[in-house]
Amino acid sequence: MPNCQSIHLKALDSADLGRLRAILKVISCEADEPLRGPAMQRIAVLLIGLYRHGVTDHDKLLSVGRLALAQKAPGVAAAIVTGARRTKGAMAGS
């Protein structure tokens, strides 16, 4: 079984990136933000990080992306990713 570090370094394939891009497009349209703007870039980094840590559910990623955009605080993304790591680590230890 791969450890958390190897999952984090795993390259995403085109299907993964397509799923994440679709989520980002929804958030971009809802917020009337340019897809390639700085706000969407931050959300994209957050979504990729979460996805690499095992959060692959479309609705969860969409909710977290919306929340992070609404918060507009740089610490939100770090807190969410840290929480995902703890959850993943707790599951591995079970």
Side-chain angles (χ1 to χ4, degrees):
M1 179 184 334
N3 64 26
C4 207
Q5 183 67 18
S6 65
I7 291 170
H8 180 71
L9 297 175
K10 180 187 108 179
L12 301 178
D13 64 23
S14 60
D16 295 328
L17 293 173
R19 284 186 212 105
L20 294 172
R21 184 174 176 86
I23 293 167
L24 194 63
K25 280 184 177 181
V26 169
I27 296 168
S28 172
C29 289
E30 289 176 353
D32 197 29
E33 291 277 346
L35 188 59
R36 295 182 185 249
M40 290 299 104
Q41 288 179 6
R42 287 190 302 274
I43 302 300
V45 168
L46 171 63
L47 294 177
I48 290 169
L50 289 170
Y51 199 88
R52 285 182 168 168
H53 282 92
V55 180
T56 58
D57 181 74
H58 179 273
D59 293 332
K60 286 181 184 177
L61 290 168
L62 188 57
S63 294
V64 170
R66 287 172 174 154
L67 176 65
L69 183 64
Q71 296 293 322
K72 295 193 182 202
V76 171
I80 292 170
V81 170
T82 301
R85 285 183 191 145
R86 284 190 199 133
T87 302
K88 191 76 169 177
M91 288 172 39
S94 298

